[in-house]
């Protein structure tokens, strides 16, 4: 295994690179257990195979990047970044109602299939999820950078662990801070990683708490923090009596499939889709960072690289703590 560190961030110079690397080793306790270019000897084309798979899938379906990014969050926040979210069966994480709307599984399966042909039993599903989400961001127009690999696949997947470990869109700021802190993520990471909502789709049920049905059966806005015009558009797309579990809207109404800083601009315009989005502007602890990101995309991208690295090293399993699955859906 080689440990040659090479991270790319927009307009970064060597000094910025070194600062980021030192930051990562200080802020990511699990990083020392992983390596950059982990597969340089055992499967040199591993990252290219994953990237090509993600690119091909995204060209056919522009919603793929958002799905892969969400899949990573749901994997890493529950049992750590160990691909436990991919395991199938009764009582697994994947079977929990909170995960039934997850997508992107076919992309991971396709990448794994190719990797097993050229490098059998070498690349973990956990690494594929992390690399695929990293590549999805870049393909959607976001920053490109390297992340370490060497994660092993977990053997445990329990649906009971899902709800206590993922953010509910109705969470208060204190509830989100508590959850993120429990994963080793800071308040800055919370704001930065919320920027993932610059791409992706949401089911109407995810923000239905911001509306109420009146005596005539029509929806009316009860959350005054939401822009009126935007609220009317959401009601049009998610009418009362419609399917709140099958109807979807874009997280970002302006640049739906582009990974950019528009999400933060939306917050300033009171167009955050979820209550957990809007609260980032309302709370004094996070408002300034929202404003900074809205006005400076490069600043957001730089922060994204740092926070994403921390996200993908949450409670990773290495050595004998996990395995390399032959199929991402089942343990060996």
């Amino acid at each position: 295994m080689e440990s040659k560190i090479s991270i790319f961030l927009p307009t970064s110079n060597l000094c910025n690179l070194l600062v980021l690397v030192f930051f990562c080793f200080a802020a990511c306790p699990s990083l020392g257990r992983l390596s950059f270019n982990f597969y340089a000897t055992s499967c040199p084309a591993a990252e290219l195979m994953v990237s090509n798979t993600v690119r091909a899938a995204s060209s056919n379906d522009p919603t793929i990047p958002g799905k892969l990014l969400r899949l990573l969050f749901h994997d890493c926040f529950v049992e750590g970044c160990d691909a436990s979210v991919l395991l199938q069966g009764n009582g697994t994480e994947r079977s929990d109602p909170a995960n039934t709307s997850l997508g992107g599984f076919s992309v991971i399966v396709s990448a794994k299939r190719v990797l097993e042909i050229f490098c059998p039993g070498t690349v973990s599903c956990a690494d594929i999820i992390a690399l695929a989400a990293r590549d999805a961001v870049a393909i959607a127009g976001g920053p490109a950078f390297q992340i370490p690999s060497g994660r092993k696949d977990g053997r445990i997947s329990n649906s009971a662990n899902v709800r206590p470990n993922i953010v509910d869109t109705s969470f208060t700021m204190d509830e989100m801070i508590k959850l993120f802190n429990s994963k080793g993520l800071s308040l800055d990471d919370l704001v930065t990683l919320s920027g993932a909502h610059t791409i992706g789709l949401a089911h109407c049920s995810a923000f239905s708490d911001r509306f109420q049905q009146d005596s005539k059966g029509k929806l009316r806005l009860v959350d005054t923090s939401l822009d009126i015009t935007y609220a009317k558009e959401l009601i049009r797309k998610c009418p009362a009596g419609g399917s709140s579990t099958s109807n979807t809207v874009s997280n970002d109404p302006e640049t739906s499939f582009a990974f950019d800083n528009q999400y933060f601009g939306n917050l300033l315009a009171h167009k955050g889709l979820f209550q957990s989005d809007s609260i980032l502007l309302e709370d004094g602890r996070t408002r300034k960072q929202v404003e900074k990101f809205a006005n400076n995309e490069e600043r957001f991208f730089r922060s994204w690289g740092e926070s994403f690295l921390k996200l993908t090293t949450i409670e990773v399993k290495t050595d004998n703590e996990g395995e390399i699955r032959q199929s991402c859906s089942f343990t060996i």
Side-chain angles (χ1 to χ4, degrees), residues 32-69:
R33 308 175 65 190
L34 304 176
S35 302
F36 289 91
N37 290 332
F38 181 84
Y39 298 108
T41 301
S42 60
C43 189
E47 294 197 22
L48 180 61
M49 293 182 203
V50 174
S51 179
N52 286 343
T53 303
V54 174
R55 189 173 298 279
S58 300
S59 65
N60 292 325
D61 180 0
T63 68
I64 287 296
K67 291 176 179 177
L68 290 173
L69 197 49

Side-chain angles (χ1 to χ4, degrees), residues 1-274:
M1 295 182 296
E2 294 184 14
S3 184
K4 181 181 177 182
I5 298 176
S6 176
I7 303 174
F8 169 76
L9 288 172
T11 68
S12 62
N13 54 29
L14 180 59
C15 181
N16 289 336
L17 173 59
L18 292 174
V19 169
L20 176 58
V21 171
F22 284 124
F23 159 82
C24 292
F25 276 99
C28 314
S30 298
L31 183 59
R33 308 175 65 190
L34 304 176
S35 302
F36 289 91
N37 290 332
F38 181 84
Y39 298 108
T41 301
S42 60
C43 189
E47 294 197 22
L48 180 61
M49 293 182 203
V50 174
S51 179
N52 286 343
T53 303
V54 174
R55 189 173 298 279
S58 300
S59 65
N60 292 325
D61 180 0
T63 68
I64 287 296
K67 291 176 179 177
L68 290 173
L69 197 49
R70 184 168 179 242
L71 186 62
L72 173 73
F73 273 86
H74 280 240
D75 182 41
C76 292
F77 265 59
V78 185
E79 294 290 345
C81 304
D82 66 349
S84 55
V85 72
L86 300 181
L87 292 175
Q88 295 186 28
N90 295 330
T92 61
E93 293 171 29
R94 190 166 173 177
S95 69
D96 188 87
N99 283 338
T100 55
S101 62
L102 289 177
F105 295 103
S106 61
V107 181
I108 306 301
V109 171
S110 295
K112 178 65 171 176
R113 186 181 300 119
V114 174
L115 286 162
E116 283 300 305
I117 292 174
F118 292 97
C119 309
T122 302
V123 182
S124 69
C125 301
D127 274 345
I128 295 173
I129 292 178
L131 292 169
R134 184 273 311 266
D135 294 337
V137 168
I139 288 169
F145 47 86
Q146 286 195 330
I147 59 172
S149 301
R151 301 165 189 78
K152 288 291 183 70
D153 299 322
R155 302 184 180 94
I156 298 173
S157 183
N158 190 337
S159 61
N161 294 333
V162 175
R163 299 302 178 93
N165 286 289
I166 59 173
V167 174
D168 187 276
T169 56
S170 64
F171 269 14
T172 64
M173 179 60 73
D174 287 338
E175 288 174 321
M176 288 196 292
I177 290 174
K178 181 179 179 180
L179 179 58
F180 270 67
N181 285 347
S182 73
K183 307 302 177 184
L185 299 172
S186 67
L187 185 61
D188 284 348
D189 295 322
L190 192 164
V191 179
T192 300
L193 293 173
S194 292
H197 288 166
T198 190
I199 56 176
L201 303 173
H203 289 85
C204 297
S205 57
F207 52 88
S208 59
D209 57 333
R210 312 189 81 172
F211 301 91
Q212 195 173 71
Q213 198 166 343
D214 62 22
S215 59
K216 296 180 180 179
K218 294 184 177 182
L219 291 179
R220 63 183 181 84
L221 180 66
V222 293
D223 188 338
T224 57
S225 67
L226 202 60
D227 175 78
I228 296 294
T229 303
Y230 180 49
K232 290 180 178 178
E233 179 65 14
L234 292 178
I235 290 175
R236 186 185 68 79
K237 293 181 177 180
C238 300
S243 176
S244 63
T245 56
S246 61
N247 289 358
T248 59
V249 300
S250 297
N251 290 339
D252 177 354
E254 304 298 330
T255 56
S256 305
F257 301 115
F259 192 95
D260 52 24
N261 67 333
Q262 182 60 51
Y263 165 79
F264 298 100
N266 294 340
L267 295 186
L268 296 184
H270 301 281
K271 293 182 179 180
L273 183 59
F274 308 120

